[in-house]
Amino acid sequence: MSEFKRLVFSGVQPTGNLHLGNYLGAIKKFVALQAESDCIYCVVDLHSITAQLVHPDLKNQIRSIAAAFIASGIDPEKHIVFNQSAVPQHAELAWVFNCVARIGWMNRMTQFKDKAGKDRENASLGLLAYPSLMAADILVYRATHVPVGDDQKQHLELARDIAMKFNLDFAEGIRQGGRGIDITVGEEPVHAYFPMVEPLIDGPAPRVMSLRDGTKKMSKSDPSDLSRINLMDDEDAISKKIRKAKTDPDGLPSELEGLKGRPEADNLVGIYAALAGKSKAEILAEFGGQQFSVFKPALVDLSIATLSPITSEMRRLMDDTTHIDAILKKGGERARARAEVVMNEVRDIIGFLR
Ligand code: TYM
């Protein structure tokens, strides 16, 4: 049985500052996957206008995400780095998926409910259709693997549902053109045009929590800047935020069991482990029995040692944007060529004249 060729795709929105959650939950994984896979990494600017329409500094926000990718170690020559709006095929496939997906599926998305808040009728139509565009981002390359943080899991399940429904609804067109691939989904054999994407969520830190409240996700939209470490923070800011991070009065336990019911302690140990490339158990073996007054300075040192080379390279890249702009332009051209091959097949499968 043939299989879809392994291809990694992921995206990051150019909204607000990138933080440690984005780095540990996503970008660090993007970097690691380059060694074993063909990868496409996208700055999803079309997504950024769904919740807030007008972004006065959008161009620089887009550049700064691309700069973070490159400063973290993504190779834009071997792989592809581009911004979504440069490849109109994303929006075109998203339109098709808007017609494949059901309104009920979109209404169930927890991120839509969170972002739309109480006044759902007043949210943009784009915010409701957001997951459909996300499915298109991935499937316009027929990508198979998607590294993300834990908060994107539901969106990726929806991408699988959309792919499955397209495969079934257009089974005839897919077979006629001889473009499908035989796969099994569960026990079912399916002649598929689109793969069932696999989320890559496990990793060093699939869910980094706020430094002010260990039960809330670290987020770009948290009003308190003390809740997150931004990739552009300087050493003093990192040190201050970790020193002020909420903790409980107890010291660190020696076993994982001892982190239960202690979300702040669990989060700081998780961050340390992810930065050090070790397991939480290894960190507890090292620091068990110690107070936070010992652990926090060690975490400050490790955070600065890991992040400051990335921050200074980002600053350097942002000082002269011609290099970043050239990378995005070339990445856009390469992505467009690949997406157009898929879109032509999709147009044929659906039966559009071209
Ligand atoms: P975005 O821009 O909100 O976040 C980018 C990536 O960072 C991860 N992340 C976290 N991981 C761990 N802990 C946290 N506190 C944390 N906060 C954010 C996110 O899971 C994500 O991987 N919808 C996506 C962007 C997108 C996309 C795609 C992703 C658009 N199209 C196609 C994958 C494939 C988003 O808003 O991510």
Side-chain angles (χ1 to χ4, degrees), residues 169-214:
D169 288 351
F170 289 106
E172 190 61 35
I174 296 169
R175 207 168 286 283
Q176 268 172 14
R179 299 195 175 89
I181 291 184
D182 289 319
I183 58 170
T184 26
V185 182
E187 305 276 274
E188 288 289 305
V190 178
H191 190 63
Y193 181 72
F194 287 123
M196 297 291 110
V197 292
E198 261 185 56
L200 302 173
I201 292 174
D202 290 343
R207 196 171 179 82
V208 177
M209 308 308 275
S210 155
L211 298 179
R212 305 300 299 160
D213 177 352

Side-chain angles (χ1 to χ4, degrees), residues 9-15 18-27 29-30 42-44 47 65 84 90 111 115 130-131 133-138 145-153 155-156 200 205-210 216-220:
F9 180 95
S10 198
V12 175
Q13 289 201 58
T15 41
L18 276 180
H19 53 69
L20 194 61
N22 301 127
Y23 178 69
L24 294 175
I27 299 174
K29 287 194 290 208
F30 299 177
C42 181
V43 184
V44 290
H47 276 109
I65 306 291
Q84 190 185 26
H90 287 237
Q111 242 179 42
K115 286 195 184 162
Y130 181 115
L133 177 59
M134 190 165 152
D137 296 339
I138 303 161
H145 291 78
V146 184
V148 282
D150 175 73
D151 61 339
Q152 297 301 316
K153 196 171 169 191
H155 287 156
L156 293 182
L200 302 173
R207 196 171 179 82
V208 177
M209 308 308 275
S210 155
K216 268 175 40 190
K217 191 182 73 166
M218 184 178 283
S219 150
K220 294 172 193 163

Side-chain angles (χ1 to χ4, degrees), residues 4 20 30 37 59 72 86 99 105 113 115 123 139 145 152 177 246 269 281 287 293 305 311 334-335 341 347 349:
F4 285 92
L20 194 61
F30 299 177
S37 316
K59 284 195 172 71
S72 302
C99 301
W105 299 3
K113 291 190 227 171
K115 286 195 184 162
L139 294 172
H145 291 78
Q152 297 301 316
K246 189 176 165 201
V269 171
F287 287 97
S293 55
T311 312
R334 289 165 65 205
V341 174
R347 292 176 197 124
I349 288 169

